[in-house]
Amino acid sequence: MRNSAFIQHLDIANVLKTELNSVKSKLSEEKRKNSEHQQYIQDLKFQMNHLESVKSERDQFKQELANISKHKEENASRINVQEYVNQIQELKDQVIEKDGTVKMVQDLYYLRSTEFTDEINTLKNEKQALEKEKADLCSKVNFQADSISQLTFQLQDLNHELHLVSCQNQQRPNQNRHYNNRRGGRYR
């Protein structure tokens, strides 16, 4: 009986040991999970702190922006509508004055271009008249040159005839004497 009580105790001890090992492994697993959860919680805390610092910076920027906007509003001068109306009227007057100046310049340009056109036409007509006169003079010069050429040929012919006559006169001196006597000339 002793054996059976001992065996029974051993069986209970084994069961307890197995249960203890199981509880230990569950405990270590829970510790590990707890450690992971703790790390996750730490990460969340860190992110939360970062978000809070970003939020405080954002609030600070908002406040600075509001201060700047308020400062601008305080320093901005009030819009004087009448001043703008006067400036617009002055600009309109300047535009009208400039339009008048542009119109005057355009009119002067038109007059000058008309004068230039007239002058160009006059010069073209004068050029045509000069070219016609030049052509007439050239034809006259050519005619005179032809006349001079003809007269030169006639003169050469006459000189040739004179030379022939002179040669003949030298060969017949007696005939010339009679001719000279009749005319009251002397003998040569």
Side-chain angles (χ1 to χ4, degrees), residues 1-184:
M1 182 120 216
R2 226 174 129 171
N3 269 344
S4 69
F6 180 72
I7 289 177
Q8 193 177 16
H9 282 301
L10 279 179
D11 285 341
I12 291 173
N14 276 335
V15 168
L16 286 176
K17 186 178 177 185
T18 304
E19 284 294 320
L20 181 64
N21 284 336
S22 172
V23 168
K24 278 184 179 178
S25 72
K26 282 183 181 179
L27 254 175
S28 69
E29 187 178 326
E30 286 298 318
K31 278 184 182 181
R32 187 185 53 80
K33 283 183 182 178
N34 188 19
S35 168
E36 288 176 2
H37 286 303
Q38 287 295 327
Q39 183 62 38
Y40 183 71
I41 289 170
Q42 288 298 327
D43 290 342
L44 288 176
K45 281 182 180 179
F46 178 75
Q47 289 177 2
M48 191 170 158
N49 288 335
H50 180 69
L51 288 175
E52 284 179 3
S53 69
V54 168
K55 184 180 176 185
S56 73
E57 283 181 18
R58 186 194 68 189
D59 291 342
Q60 186 179 2
F61 285 137
K62 277 185 179 180
Q63 185 62 39
E64 286 178 13
L65 187 62
N67 291 340
I68 289 171
S69 176
K70 184 179 177 182
H71 187 262
K72 278 187 177 181
E73 286 178 11
E74 289 173 356
N75 289 338
S77 62
R78 299 290 173 212
I79 297 173
N80 189 350
V81 174
Q82 190 59 39
E83 270 184 48
Y84 287 115
V85 169
N86 292 340
Q87 288 177 358
I88 290 170
Q89 188 59 44
E90 286 176 16
L91 290 173
K92 283 181 181 178
D93 293 342
Q94 288 176 4
V95 167
I96 290 169
E97 184 180 329
K98 301 265 188 227
D99 283 344
T101 304
V102 168
K103 177 85 170 101
M104 184 177 69
V105 168
Q106 286 175 339
D107 291 343
L108 288 173
Y109 173 76
Y110 177 74
L111 286 173
R112 285 302 286 160
S113 70
T114 305
E115 289 174 5
F116 283 140
T117 303
D118 293 344
E119 194 172 329
I120 287 169
N121 288 334
T122 303
L123 289 173
K124 282 181 182 177
N125 292 337
E126 287 177 4
K127 181 181 176 187
Q128 288 173 353
L130 287 173
E131 286 176 356
K132 184 179 178 191
E133 189 176 327
K134 179 182 173 184
D136 290 345
L137 286 174
C138 284
S139 65
K140 284 181 184 178
V141 166
N142 289 337
F143 178 73
Q144 293 295 330
D146 290 342
S147 296
I148 289 171
S149 293
Q150 289 175 359
L151 288 173
T152 303
F153 287 130
Q154 288 176 1
L155 181 62
Q156 287 175 354
D157 286 344
L158 288 174
N159 280 335
H160 184 63
E161 283 180 31
L162 179 65
H163 180 65
L164 289 176
V165 169
S166 138
C167 283
Q168 285 176 359
N169 283 340
Q170 287 177 358
Q171 288 175 359
R172 297 187 216 160
N174 292 339
Q175 292 175 353
N176 283 338
R177 275 195 269 178
H178 292 284
Y179 175 75
N180 285 334
N181 282 337
R182 274 191 259 146
R183 298 200 43 70

